[in-house]
Amino acid sequence: LSKSKERIMMKKLLFILFSVFLTATFAKAQDLTLSWNDKPLGDTLVVFGDANDAEIVAHAVVTNNSGKDMNVKVSRQQHFLVEGSLSQFCWGLCYDPATTVSPQYKLLEPGESSPDAEFSGHYLPLGFVGNSYVEYTFFNMDNIGQSVSIIVKYMATPAGIAEEAMVNGTVSEIYPNPATNYISLDYKLTNQVNSAEVKIYNLMGSEVKNALLENNGRDR
C-alpha cells in the first residue's frame, strides 16, 4: 500500500476507535443516581455517632435519569456488623432487621427524585463500639440491570469526651456528619492552657492522627 492509503486507513481506524470509546462512555451513564442535600453521593458514605445512641442514620435521594418510568426497590447487604448490633432500612415503609429486600417499590418518572424521607438506613449500635459496613442497592424491579449501590460505613464511637479536656476547654462534636472525605471539630482552650493535643485512635488502639491545638484566645 502507498503511504497515502496507509494514512487514510489509519485515520479511519482512529475514527472507529474513537467512536467505540464514545459509545462505551455514554453507555456507562447511570440511569439511577444517589444524592443528599443536592450533592451527589459516591460509592461510600461515612456516618458516625455515639455507641449509646438509639440509632445512627444514613439518608439518600434516588433520581431516575432514564427516559422511562421505573419501579424502584431497595436491597440491603450487611458486609460486616459489629457483634451485638443491628441494622434495618426504610423505603417508604420501615422494615424489621430481617428484611433484605423492600417488599414495597417507589414509582419514579423520568427525571423524578424520591422524597428526602423516602429512604433511610438505620444502624442500631446497642452500646457496642466499632465500624459496621452495610451496602444498599436501588434497582428497577422490571430491569435489575438498572441499579446503583452505596456502602455506608457506620462508625459507633465511645461515649463522651475525656473529663480533662472538658476542664481545660471545650471540643465540639465531629462534623460534617455524614462525612465523605474529611472531618472537622471546633475547640476552645482556657487561659491556663497554652496548647493541647487531639489524638485519634483506631479500634485496635493504634494512634492514626495527632494534631496540635494552639490557644490563640478565640474559638477555632
Side-chain angles (χ1 to χ4, degrees):
L1 295 176
S2 65
K3 290 185 177 180
S4 60
K5 288 184 179 180
E6 287 180 351
R7 292 195 190 98
I8 292 172
M9 291 183 67
M10 184 60 70
K11 288 181 179 178
K12 287 183 178 179
L13 179 60
L14 289 173
F15 176 77
I16 292 171
L17 290 173
F18 183 66
S19 299
V20 170
F21 175 76
L22 285 179
T23 302
T25 301
F26 291 143
K28 290 181 180 178
Q30 285 186 296
D31 291 326
L32 289 171
T33 53
L34 302 177
S35 63
W36 184 246
N37 289 334
D38 298 323
K39 295 180 179 179
L41 296 177
D43 297 331
T44 59
L45 180 68
V46 179
V47 185
F48 45 86
D50 195 305
N52 290 321
D53 289 343
E55 59 181 4
I56 302 172
V57 184
H59 296 279
V61 168
V62 190
T63 301
N64 175 8
N65 300 305
S66 74
K68 297 182 179 180
D69 290 351
M70 283 195 196
N71 294 316
V72 180
K73 283 190 169 188
V74 182
S75 66
R76 181 204 63 185
Q77 183 178 1
Q78 299 177 144
H79 290 290
F80 175 78
L81 287 188
V82 172
E83 186 175 357
S85 65
L86 296 171
S87 83
Q88 59 189 109
F89 68 96
C90 303
W91 181 237
L93 298 176
C94 292
Y95 305 105
D96 61 59
T99 301
T100 58
V101 179
S102 64
Q104 183 173 338
Y105 66 85
K106 170 71 177 177
L107 171 63
L108 294 181
E109 297 178 352
E112 185 182 7
S113 298
S114 61
D116 286 354
E118 193 74 14
F119 171 78
S120 53
H122 298 255
Y123 176 67
L124 290 64
L126 300 177
F128 296 99
V129 174
N131 299 337
S132 294
Y133 299 82
V134 182
E135 182 173 3
Y136 303 98
T137 299
F138 304 81
F139 63 96
N140 181 2
M141 61 180 288
D142 303 311
N143 180 3
I144 59 174
Q146 294 176 305
S147 66
V148 61
S149 299
I150 187 169
I151 295 177
V152 178
K153 178 181 180 180
Y154 294 100
M155 299 178 64
T157 59
I161 299 172
E163 245 179 64
E164 185 179 351
M166 297 302 293
V167 170
N168 294 322
T170 57
V171 180
S172 73
E173 295 291 333
I174 295 173
Y175 66 91
N177 187 9
T180 51
N181 298 319
Y182 66 90
I183 57 174
S184 302
L185 58 83
D186 298 323
Y187 70 90
K188 184 175 182 180
L189 303 179
T190 63
N191 293 332
Q192 290 74 32
V193 179
N194 294 322
S195 63
E197 287 181 322
V198 169
K199 294 184 179 181
I200 300 175
Y201 298 86
N202 62 23
L203 294 177
M204 303 302 295
S206 301
E207 184 179 320
V208 295
K209 182 69 176 178
N210 186 333
L212 178 66
L213 309 182
E214 296 181 347
N215 191 350
N216 58 9
R218 63 178 187 274
D219 294 346
R220 295 296 301 274

